[in-house]
Amino acid sequence: MKIQIVKQGGNKVKTAGNVCPWLVDIGIDTPKQ
Amino acid sequence: MQPSMFNVRVPLEDRNDVFLMNTFTDAQLIVAREVADLLDRLEAGPRQPWTAAEREALATLTEHGFIVESREADHRKLDEYFRAIREDQEQLRVTVLTTLQCNFACDYCIQGDHGDYNKHAARMSLDTAAAVAAWAEGRLDALAPASFVLTFFGGEPLLNMPVLYYLSERLWRACHARGVQFHINIITNGLLLTPEMVDRLLPFGLNAVKITLDGDRDTHNRMRPLRGGQGTFDRIVDNVRRIAGRCRISIGGNFDEESVDSYPALLDFLRGQDFADKLSRVAFKPVIRERRAETPKGVIPLTAVGAEGRPLSGTCMTSAGGGTSICDSCNFLDDKMSFLRDETKKRGFATVDGVHMGPCEIHRRHAHTVGPDGSLYACPGFAGDDKHSTGHIDGREDASRARAAERFDAVAAWKACDDCAFIPVCAGGCTTAGHAEHGSLQAPSCHKASFEAGLVSLARDAARAAECELVD
């Protein structure tokens, strides 16, 4: 049965949330550690 | 065992495959239809004897979060997830409104260079900036985060450069002394942006600048003129060209039903510029003007708008959008968002995927917005409105702010979203929008159709990438 992994599941907390994706977000992720 | 409530899927055209995503783990798979069918069979229960191949597929799906112990387990994990986001100390985030003054007279904003607005609009003093810096240093000591993100917003933040430079330089030193990474973002209309300014800020951690272009030249000049009606497009573009390559640049734009058709021309124009490949991201958001009475219950915009045309607190309407309310019963917004995302990608620009939207900073305890007078807010959408201030940098005791802090601390609009699969990437949507429309901080700002449209694009992109991978 074919299962092709496009993206592994991960720790969402570390990636969640820019300043404000709805209104004022800079639109660019801040560099991670 | 049962399928996770956060599973979403898109059948892929022209092939017998399905794109599966779990919005909680962010796992993304391309699977044969029979694998997707397995999830349906599992949902339908009762348990059946599985073949060895099915057991292997189920194990992989479980490993990536597509199968969970129970619905209760999903809800428990969701609660833990939001708690972890709320308490996360890895990053301190502070958005500073250097001023509520603005040099533009945007047609969808009653602030800025209209009437005598600027005469009375608040502006941060250097004394207040020093107090903001001392407060931020206190937060750094209390949290010991790995990084600190300082975002400048307004009004037009570049109208108060002394404060912008002072905070950038002092807080860079504070972070440097504490071994904390420091990043500066600026959200500006771009008119006053110069290479000298960028060069001065780069050693202090300038990360990115976001600039707004509302359509092609003529449309932008109509939407975002100076007070005398002079256009601003050429000068902004020239400024972008001059700073391109020095720091990351994000181009944003607010479209409405009249201006949206000019965006492909803007994209063509940007693609033709010598700085095109130096744009880090291009993304547009809708502003739709409809009469409030026509708004269907529970449907509110991705961009927050103030009722009756009043401004949203005191922050820049450039990003918050304008108008009075939204009617999306015709799916105009979702269609156009999806269309513009595709048009943007076609021209080779990085853009948002329309799925990974949140949760935003309002769900983080250690993210703050600071108004020009040092008042604290839970997010920029509420800044400038005293009754929504959650505290003050001077630590003053104030019953009104304490009550506001409690109200914002309890924000969890997603609890009204039942078992929606998009909760982990939406969190109930924009609280400012929900509040503007429904008068409650706990009202979801639902735009599920937009997430679904984004998901279809994400699936298409994943399928294309997977095909290339197979060819390689």
Side-chain angles (χ1 to χ4, degrees):
Chain A
M1 287 185 154
K2 173 188 169 182
I3 297 184
Q4 192 175 355
I5 297 168
V6 177
K7 187 174 183 190
Q8 296 270 359
N11 184 338
K12 294 268 294 172
V13 175
K14 290 195 188 305
T15 58
N18 283 316
V19 175
C20 171
W22 315 106
L23 308 181
V24 301
D25 198 11
I26 191 81
I28 298 174
D29 293 338
T30 301
K32 300 289 188 299
Q33 283 288 84
Chain B
M1 302 299 276
Q2 67 176 79
S4 165
M5 65 184 258
F6 305 120
N7 293 349
V8 286
R9 66 174 77 176
V10 179
L12 296 171
E13 295 158 12
D14 305 327
R15 50 200 285 183
N16 197 33
D17 291 338
V18 176
F19 174 77
L20 286 183
M21 177 182 177
N22 184 279
T23 63
F24 185 81
T25 65
D26 206 27
Q28 296 165 34
L29 310 176
I30 291 176
V31 303
R33 278 181 195 273
E34 54 189 345
V35 175
D37 291 344
L38 268 184
L39 288 170
D40 295 335
R41 283 163 56 196
L42 189 67
E43 181 90 64
R47 197 71 54 84
Q48 34 197 308
W50 306 105
T51 66
E54 288 171 342
R55 277 200 301 276
E56 194 181 330
L58 288 169
T60 305
L61 291 171
T62 304
E63 181 192 334
H64 290 278
F66 292 92
I67 298 174
V68 295
E69 182 192 324
S70 63
R71 182 53 49 95
E72 292 69 36
D74 259 344
H75 279 288
R76 199 169 54 243
K77 281 193 299 184
L78 191 65
D79 286 340
E80 288 165 6
Y81 168 61
F82 279 113
R83 203 173 305 124
I85 287 173
R86 180 140 207 88
E87 303 303 332
D88 185 28
Q89 298 190 10
E90 192 169 314
Q91 196 168 69
L92 173 64
R93 305 176 184 204
V94 177
T95 298
V96 174
L97 278 58
T98 65
T99 178
L100 297 182
Q101 296 169 330
C102 185
N103 47 355
F104 275 25
C106 300
D107 85 330
Y108 48 78
C109 178
I110 66 168
Q111 301 174 5
D113 222 353
H114 296 281
D116 62 353
Y117 173 82
N118 278 333
K119 200 160 72 180
H120 306 291
R123 179 183 170 89
M124 187 175 283
S125 67
L126 276 170
D127 285 345
T128 303
V132 170
W135 166 83
E137 286 160 358
R139 300 308 304 147
L140 285 170
D141 289 335
L143 294 179
S147 61
F148 178 13
V149 180
L150 177 64
T151 299
F152 290 108
F153 188 45
E156 169 48 44
L158 303 189
L159 286 175
N160 195 354
M161 288 312 295
V163 159
L164 195 148
Y165 284 139
Y166 173 82
L167 285 173
S168 299
E169 293 170 12
R170 177 163 163 183
L171 291 173
W172 178 85
R173 280 193 292 274
C175 286
H176 190 67
R178 291 164 175 81
V180 175
Q181 282 197 351
F182 184 55
H183 309 289
I184 299 168
N185 295 326
I186 303 173
I187 298 167
T188 169
N189 59 34
L191 196 77
L192 301 176
L193 204 54
T194 64
E196 294 73 26
M197 186 186 301
V198 169
D199 288 347
R200 178 164 170 181
L201 290 170
L202 276 172
F204 297 101
L206 180 62
N207 169 56
V209 176
K210 181 186 175 185
I211 296 150
T212 304
L213 292 172
D214 278 357
D216 65 8
R217 186 174 184 273
D218 288 348
T219 310
H220 172 95
N221 285 340
R222 192 177 70 245
M223 300 282 279
R224 299 174 68 80
L226 296 173
R227 183 204 283 263
Q230 303 95 322
T232 55
F233 187 88
D234 292 342
R235 187 159 155 198
I236 294 169
V237 168
D238 193 42
N239 289 346
V240 171
R241 180 176 294 108
R242 293 167 69 210
I243 67 158
R246 285 173 150 88
C247 70
R248 300 205 286 177
I249 300 169
S250 169
I251 300 290
N254 308 297
F255 64 86
D256 63 13
E257 51 279 64
E258 285 173 16
S259 67
V260 64
D261 292 335
S262 76
Y263 276 75
L266 169 64
L267 288 164
D268 285 337
F269 173 83
L270 291 174
R271 186 70 262 169
Q273 301 304 301
D274 49 4
F275 57 76
D277 290 331
K278 298 192 171 80
L279 299 178
S280 301
R281 184 169 285 196
V282 179
F284 307 118
K285 295 171 184 171
V287 177
I288 306 174
R289 295 158 223 232
E290 293 284 344
R291 286 187 298 113
R292 187 179 180 83
E294 292 175 0
T295 304
K297 191 171 184 294
V299 176
I300 41 183
L302 284 174
T303 48
V305 293
E308 311 308 329
R310 68 179 171 77
L312 272 177
S313 310
T315 44
C316 174
M317 299 292 284
T318 287
S319 306
T324 54
S325 189
I326 297 288
C327 169
D328 191 38
S329 56
C330 57
N331 289 325
F332 168 87
L333 182 150
D334 303 319
D335 288 349
K336 292 300 181 186
M337 286 278 279
S338 184
F339 165 72
L340 286 182
R341 268 199 306 270
D342 288 345
E343 290 294 302
T344 305
K345 282 191 282 190
K346 261 192 234 168
R347 289 161 179 83
F349 294 118
T351 190
V352 293
D353 64 20
V355 176
H356 296 88
M357 296 296 286
C360 66
E361 283 198 355
I362 205 165
H363 299 282
R364 291 177 172 268
R365 188 184 301 284
H366 305 300
H368 312 270
T369 296
V370 185
D373 68 344
S375 289
L376 293 167
Y377 301 90
C379 92
F382 292 96
D385 189 339
D386 288 347
K387 67 178 179 295
H388 292 308
S389 172
T390 54
H392 195 280
I393 53 161
D394 65 10
R396 69 184 66 164
E397 301 282 333
D398 177 329
S400 165
R401 291 178 210 259
R403 282 196 299 275
E406 269 179 37
R407 285 198 304 276
F408 280 97
D409 204 41
V411 164
W414 50 273
K415 287 187 173 169
C417 301
D418 299 323
D419 287 353
C420 177
F422 291 104
I423 291 173
V425 287
C426 172
C430 174
T431 306
T432 310
H435 183 267
E437 289 283 322
H438 300 294
S440 167
L441 296 177
Q442 303 295 352
S445 166
C446 183
H447 236 281
K448 193 171 182 177
S450 182
F451 281 92
E452 286 168 342
L455 185 70
V456 170
S457 299
L458 193 67
R460 269 195 237 123
D461 291 347
R464 268 195 295 270
E467 265 173 21
C468 293
E469 205 174 284
L470 287 177
V471 169
D472 291 346

